[in-house]
Amino acid sequence: MNDSLTILKAGALRFRSEVYAYRKEVYELAARQPQAPHTLVITCADSRIDPEALMQAGPGEIFVTRNIGNIVPSYGEMLGGVSAVIEYAVSALKVRHVVVCGHSDCGAMKALLRPESTTDMPSVANWLTNARSALVIAEACRVAEEQPVDTLRRLTEENVLMQIAHLKTHPAVAGAIAQEQLTISGWVYDIAAGEVRIFENGVGAFELLEKAEMSLEVSHNS
């Protein structure tokens, strides 16, 4: 039998006996009620990213779409799966927030920096044209003797910001923002450190999410 399939089957059995068994009521409730996620998460297809775990979200809390490079084509450019997810999440599910989440060591960002790496992958190369402007900005901001890791970090952040700009061209999103029914934030997840840097409210820079900041916010809201 295929080794990968064997691993997956074992995982499904473990889920049933070790996870589902202890949260049966949560899953039964989720099955009985229509889904009502509060947030749409647009993140990378990278297998090291687990958005539900990262955000500690349970069944029905976040609506997730993933693709190479956490890319959002501008409305009308590549109408397809990503556009349909955005439209459905905002118009039908009425999500109140959208997260565009990039991450460290992103293969898509590395491919932008080394376009020859996608020579034999024309579909990937075409998809990454949606992030080309982020590359132009990152290169324009490059300083003398900049280390590759710093360039990659800047490109990752610029790509998140570029995809947020693309996101705002979608009619459903533009309308919800105009009616103050939707907000957007940009995240960059550091896989090795388990840390998240966040760009919110459309101003400033990516700031490290820290426990002290959350404690202050919870205290202010209570």
Side-chain angles (χ1 to χ4, degrees), residues 30-207:
R32 288 196 302 269
Q33 297 180 337
Q35 64 168 327
H38 53 73
T39 296
L40 165 63
V41 178
I42 302 169
T43 192
C44 189
D46 191 299
S47 58
R48 297 167 295 178
I49 312 301
D50 185 347
E52 285 83 4
L54 174 62
M55 300 171 184
Q56 288 297 283
E61 293 183 350
I62 61 175
F63 196 64
V64 180
T65 186
R66 305 175 65 152
N67 63 66
I68 293 175
N70 40 274
I71 282 172
V72 180
S74 295
Y75 187 76
E77 290 292 321
M78 291 183 175
L79 289 178
V82 177
S83 302
V85 167
I86 292 168
E87 189 173 80
Y88 183 74
V90 176
S91 298
L93 297 179
K94 305 296 183 185
V95 296
R96 302 183 297 280
H97 190 71
V98 181
V99 170
V100 178
C101 182
H103 66 95
S104 60
D105 195 45
C106 181
M109 299 303 100
K110 290 179 176 179
L112 279 171
L113 292 167
R114 294 187 300 107
E116 70 279 3
S117 66
T118 59
T119 300
D120 297 329
M121 295 180 283
S123 296
V124 173
N126 184 51
W127 178 250
L128 291 178
T129 59
N130 292 289
R132 178 72 188 172
S133 295
L135 175 63
V136 172
I137 295 170
E139 290 183 333
C141 296
R142 192 195 298 263
V143 297
E145 300 181 3
E146 181 173 275
Q147 296 300 308
V149 65
D150 296 320
T151 303
L152 180 60
R153 173 174 169 147
R154 178 182 294 109
L155 175 56
T156 300
E157 292 182 351
E158 291 296 342
N159 180 57
V160 168
L161 297 179
M162 184 58 58
Q163 304 316 318
I164 288 176
H166 292 170
L167 179 64
K168 290 178 179 179
T169 68
H170 288 248
V173 173
I177 291 174
Q179 295 174 340
E180 298 185 346
Q181 295 174 350
L182 185 72
T183 54
I184 300 172
S185 63
W187 293 33
V188 174
Y189 167 48
D190 187 320
I191 298 171
E195 295 176 338
V196 174
R197 301 192 308 281
I198 296 183
F199 178 92
E200 56 182 315
N201 303 323
V203 294
F206 283 85
E207 300 288 346

